[in-house]
Amino acid sequence: MRTLKDLVRPNIWRLAPYSSARNEYSGSTARIFLDANENPYNKPFNRYPDPLQKDLKQSISKVKNVPVESIFLGNGSDEAIDLVYRCFCRPEKDNVVAIEPTYGMYKVCADINNVEYRPVLLDEKFQVKAEQLLKACNHFTKVIWICSPNNPTGNNINHDEIKKVLQNFDGIVVIDEAYIDFSSQPSFRSMLSQYPKMIVLNTLSKAWGCAALRLGMAFADKEIINLFNKVKYPYNINLLTQEKALDALADPFEVDNWVNRLLLERDRLISAFRLLPICEEVYPTEANFFLARMNNAQEIYNYLVEKGIIVRNRNKVSLCQNCLRITVGTKSENNELLGALRQY
Ligand SMILES: *Cc1c(COP(=O)(O)O)cnc(C)c1O
């Protein structure tokens, strides 16, 4: 059984992190800040933002029901994905295992960090058995990536299989739940205390409607969060993002409203797709998008581009031949898409 120390790159375990001026000072009696070479003019932008985003984490803690010390905030989930490699994977030595097809960033970050990436093909229902993921591992496997609901397929990965992976793999298991707010399944973040080597990713980019803010969340045991905090850029979340994210989190009912509307639109759009002669199959989805197998994805994609409508062409992705990934838009956007496809 590998401990956390066995999994972390030795240079990262030993790392003495950069200590910023805002890190070293804590307390509420300070009135005059002459410690960080900031300009005293141009408030509030003259001051460095909180490196550990305490106010924002308190708000997220309430909304997501996760203790503050189990929260890492990144410049998008993409920062957390990259940190997983930088903290755990020794270049040219360690490897990671992931379901295939899935979100492209896991592979791109593996390539950037020079870490071997081992894809395990999903079955025809876009599911995977824990056994197959475990079979792909060896002693150098540090991380298993599971995206659920999965992108681009849209379905949840079977929870019992994910639990088997969590129970039987002694490395890091990352569960990317970027689309969890659209899903009928509960989040794995409620099981953090049971699985100290699990990392759950959430984001403000999808259901929360804040892709431009760049705010991703990683939930994990505080030892893993401390590692991430050591390796991240000191001021990775800027002031404007911290403030705007606080505003967004103050109104979770608005998000429920969007989600309900999008799910209704999604089901209407899917029913209409199933009636299109050019559509061969629409796959079950638990996200704000769906995967549709067409009779000629490339040509239909090009035709839609001509009409100014951009969908995601997944034709070249494993198991997704002739598939388009359609994000659910507003009612009128969806109607325009359907109108164009009916005229094709
Ligand atoms: C969209 C998406 C994300 C979000 O990434 P951000 O960097 O937070 O915008 C993460 N994972 C998956 C699978 C996604 O589809």
Side-chain angles (χ1 to χ4, degrees):
M1 188 73 177
R2 294 178 292 182
T3 64
L4 189 65
K5 186 179 177 197
D6 298 326
L7 294 167
V8 176
R9 290 168 70 192
N11 60 311
I12 300 299
W13 189 264
R14 289 191 307 263
L15 180 72
Y18 174 73
S19 184
S20 66
R22 273 312 99 85
N23 259 335
E24 287 187 353
Y25 149 80
S26 72
S28 54
T29 51
R31 292 176 298 115
I32 299 177
F33 289 95
L34 305 175
D35 58 344
N37 296 347
E38 295 151 336
N39 188 322
Y41 307 115
N42 199 35
K43 284 182 174 113
F45 302 111
N46 59 328
R47 299 295 175 193
Y48 281 102
D50 177 4
L52 292 173
Q53 310 99 21
K54 287 186 204 69
D55 293 346
L56 184 49
K57 281 180 184 167
Q58 271 184 3
S59 172
I60 289 173
S61 170
K62 288 198 193 98
V63 172
K64 298 280 184 176
N65 208 7
V66 169
V68 167
E69 62 274 16
S70 287
I71 303 173
F72 166 83
L73 301 180
N75 187 343
S77 315
D78 292 343
E79 181 180 1
I81 293 168
D82 191 49
L83 279 172
V84 167
Y85 287 101
R86 291 161 67 205
C87 288
F88 296 107
C89 301
R90 293 168 298 177
E92 296 190 319
K93 213 172 204 175
D94 293 327
N95 66 67
V96 303
V97 165
I99 58 172
E100 167 78 9
T102 192
Y103 185 46
M105 279 306 284
Y106 316 142
K107 166 85 166 60
V108 170
C109 277
D111 290 346
I112 290 170
N113 288 285
N114 207 4
V115 169
E116 184 195 348
Y117 185 84
R118 301 182 166 194
V120 173
L121 205 60
L122 297 174
D123 65 19
E124 69 287 347
K125 289 214 156 101
F126 298 137
Q127 288 296 341
V128 71
K129 289 271 180 268
E131 220 171 82
Q132 287 174 282
L133 289 169
L134 297 169
K135 229 171 46 195
C137 298
N138 66 6
H139 185 65
F140 294 101
T141 305
K142 293 292 187 67
V143 181
I144 297 180
W145 294 96
I146 298 173
C147 183
S148 181
N150 189 28
N151 178 2
T153 60
N155 61 300
N156 284 313
I157 302 301
N158 186 309
H159 270 215
D160 290 334
E161 296 302 321
I162 298 179
K163 280 183 195 150
K164 275 190 219 160
V165 173
L166 287 164
Q167 283 155 9
N168 292 294
F169 179 59
D170 69 355
I172 302 295
V173 179
V174 184
I175 307 175
D176 187 344
E177 295 184 333
Y179 300 97
I180 194 65
D181 298 298
F182 299 104
S183 170
S184 58
Q185 295 274 344
S187 168
F188 272 92
R189 68 177 183 267
S190 64
M191 288 180 245
L192 281 176
S193 54
Q194 278 167 69
Y195 301 115
K197 290 175 192 157
M198 173 178 76
I199 300 172
V200 177
L201 303 181
N202 281 191
T203 179
L204 286 200
S205 296
K206 307 290 160 59
W208 286 81
C210 291
L213 291 190
R214 310 308 302 132
L215 193 83
M217 295 156 255
F219 304 120
D221 188 83
K222 64 178 189 304
E223 284 207 68
I224 292 178
I225 300 302
N226 288 342
L227 275 175
F228 282 7
N229 285 337
K230 226 162 68 151
V231 176
K232 77 180 183 76
Y233 290 154
Y235 304 107
N236 61 328
I237 310 294
N238 71 63
L239 177 72
L240 291 174
T241 296
Q242 294 192 41
E243 287 184 351
K244 291 287 171 190
L246 268 172
D247 291 348
L249 286 155
D251 198 0
F253 298 111
E254 177 79 348
V255 176
D256 286 346
N257 204 347
W258 290 330
V259 168
N260 291 336
R261 235 189 292 174
L262 289 170
L263 293 183
L264 285 174
E265 266 305 289
R266 181 192 69 191
D267 293 345
R268 181 180 77 93
L269 200 48
I270 288 176
S271 303
F273 257 70
R274 291 203 164 116
L275 297 176
L276 292 170
I278 55 171
C279 176
E280 291 176 354
E281 187 165 6
V282 178
Y283 294 97
T285 178
E286 299 252 354
N288 65 331
F289 63 85
F290 59 91
L291 195 66
R293 193 178 297 274
M294 313 302 282
N295 61 5
N296 191 331
Q298 185 64 55
E299 276 181 22
I300 296 166
Y301 174 80
N302 293 343
Y303 163 82
L304 287 172
V305 170
E306 285 286 301
K307 301 241 161 197
I309 301 170
I310 314 301
V311 298
R312 193 89 156 118
N313 184 3
R314 300 285 76 187
N315 184 37
K316 298 244 166 74
V317 171
S318 319
L319 303 179
C320 298
Q321 205 193 14
N322 266 328
C323 287
L324 299 177
R325 193 193 69 193
I326 315 287
T327 306
V328 180
T330 63
K331 194 181 188 86
S332 75
E333 288 170 335
N334 301 333
N335 284 342
E336 280 209 51
L337 169 68
L338 288 172
L341 289 173
R342 285 179 187 128
Q343 278 170 27
Y344 176 77

